[in-house]
Amino acid sequence: MNAQFAQLIVNGIAVGSIIALAAVGLTLINGILRLSNFAHGDFVTLGAYLTLLVNTLGVNIWLSMVVAAIGTVAAMLLSEKLLWSRMRSIRATSTTFIIISIGLALFLRNGIILIWGGSNKTYNLPVTPAMDILGVKVPQNQLLVLFLAVLAIVILHYLLQNTKIGKAMRAVADDLDLARVSGINVDRVVLWTWVIAGTLTSLGGSMYGLLTAVRPNMGWFLILPLFASVILGGIGNPYGAIAAAFIIGIAQEASTLFLGSQYKQGVALLLMILVLLVRPKGLFRSTI
């Protein structure tokens, strides 16, 4: 029982790492652009499939992740150019943004099925034995996922706290109009927001593909835990989203000891609701 619980905690940390990366991208978009992007999960899927595409051409998996991130960022920038910037210019309602993002999610998912089919696929990777750590079997891929997640979060922290663009992003998140009047190039901030969010989201998808099979609906099953992490951590707070993602990831996996795996998402949402009953604005203050 104890060994099984420890194994589930390890699995939860790995899943939490993936949710954290994608949730940071989602909370940046939400906090800075005021966009609840329901297509975000499918951009996670796109990152995994672009990694698969490059990897099957014989390219190293790590270089494949880099190329996939570039492709995912390009797709997000294209959606910004064709959809979101135009909607902001006509001051579309939040309901309109949500409906368009759901349509974009369906477009991406069905496009992936059209190109790659609906069957599960895996990366071309050598088989590596699991490591035995204090009696718990830990696949090397899980350790790599955790390491990459921590590295990406450290880089993001440095970017937000110690660079001009990071300070500008925080200013725009606090008050867009005041930031514009203060001389901040808001368009440049928007561009960098998509670049950072796209990179982290693609990396999350690539790493999710390391742990599970690459399939068209993988991002769709992540969208509820992603939004739960964003809301639980305080909308617009990347550090809160990271903490909430690990809480949700561990809670989801640990719950399978008592409930079936089909209830994982229900556990995430129940946890979010219980916390919001006590702290309506989430665990942390909702600013970057």
Side-chain angles (χ1 to χ4, degrees):
M1 181 75 169
N2 290 335
Q4 186 181 2
F5 184 72
Q7 187 72 58
L8 291 172
I9 295 296
V10 170
N11 295 343
I13 291 172
V15 172
S17 302
I18 293 163
I19 296 174
L21 286 174
V24 166
L26 183 59
T27 202
L28 288 176
I29 293 169
N30 208 316
I32 295 173
L33 305 181
R34 309 295 189 267
L35 170 62
S36 298
N37 190 6
F38 281 84
H40 199 76
D42 292 281
F43 279 112
V44 171
T45 307
L46 180 63
Y49 271 94
L50 290 178
T51 303
L52 176 71
L53 174 64
V54 180
N55 180 237
T56 51
L57 295 175
V59 179
N60 177 280
I61 186 65
W62 311 117
L63 184 57
S64 298
M65 288 185 181
V66 174
V67 176
I70 295 171
T72 305
V73 168
M76 282 190 163
L77 290 176
L78 184 62
S79 71
E80 161 67 17
K81 179 72 174 176
L82 297 179
L83 298 174
W84 311 127
S85 63
R86 296 188 182 189
M87 291 298 103
R88 287 197 302 272
S89 67
I90 63 173
R91 297 189 178 276
T93 64
S94 58
T95 303
T96 303
F97 276 102
I98 290 172
I99 292 172
I100 290 175
S101 71
I102 293 173
L104 178 59
L106 293 172
F107 174 79
L108 287 171
R109 198 174 319 138
N110 285 282
I112 286 170
I113 293 172
L114 178 65
I115 295 171
W116 283 282
S119 61
N120 293 356
K121 301 183 184 300
T122 56
Y123 298 141
N124 182 21
L125 297 172
V127 177
T128 54
M131 299 176 65
D132 192 312
I133 301 177
L134 299 177
V136 179
K137 296 292 184 182
V138 183
Q140 292 185 27
N141 285 344
Q142 286 189 352
L143 293 175
L144 288 171
V145 164
L146 180 60
F147 171 76
L148 286 174
V150 170
L151 180 63
I153 290 166
V154 169
I155 293 172
L156 174 69
H157 172 75
Y158 177 83
L159 188 69
L160 289 177
Q161 300 297 329
N162 299 291
T163 65
K164 285 185 178 180
I165 192 62
K167 293 173 183 176
M169 289 170 72
R170 300 203 322 265
V172 171
D174 284 338
D175 192 321
L176 189 147
D177 294 328
L178 180 60
R180 196 186 297 275
V181 171
S182 302
I184 292 174
N185 188 336
V186 175
D187 291 335
R188 186 164 171 262
V189 170
V190 170
L191 174 68
W192 273 100
T193 300
W194 286 112
V195 169
I196 294 170
T199 301
L200 293 175
T201 301
S202 179
L203 185 59
S206 300
M207 295 196 307
Y208 197 27
L210 284 176
L211 299 184
T212 65
V214 179
R215 55 191 188 278
N217 59 0
M218 60 192 294
W220 177 248
F221 287 121
L222 275 182
I223 195 67
L224 288 179
L226 288 179
F227 271 102
S229 299
V230 169
I231 296 169
L232 192 62
I235 295 174
N237 188 328
Y239 307 112
I242 292 166
F246 279 104
I247 292 171
I248 287 173
I250 293 171
Q252 281 191 162
E253 294 301 317
S255 69
T256 61
L257 194 62
F258 313 100
L259 303 171
S261 60
Q262 66 269 30
Y263 298 110
K264 282 183 181 181
Q265 292 190 344
V267 169
L269 293 178
L270 178 62
L271 184 63
M272 179 189 74
I273 292 169
L274 291 176
V275 172
L276 291 182
L277 286 174
V278 180
R279 295 182 62 89
K281 293 186 178 180
L283 294 172
F284 305 94
R285 192 164 58 93
S286 56
T287 57
I288 294 177

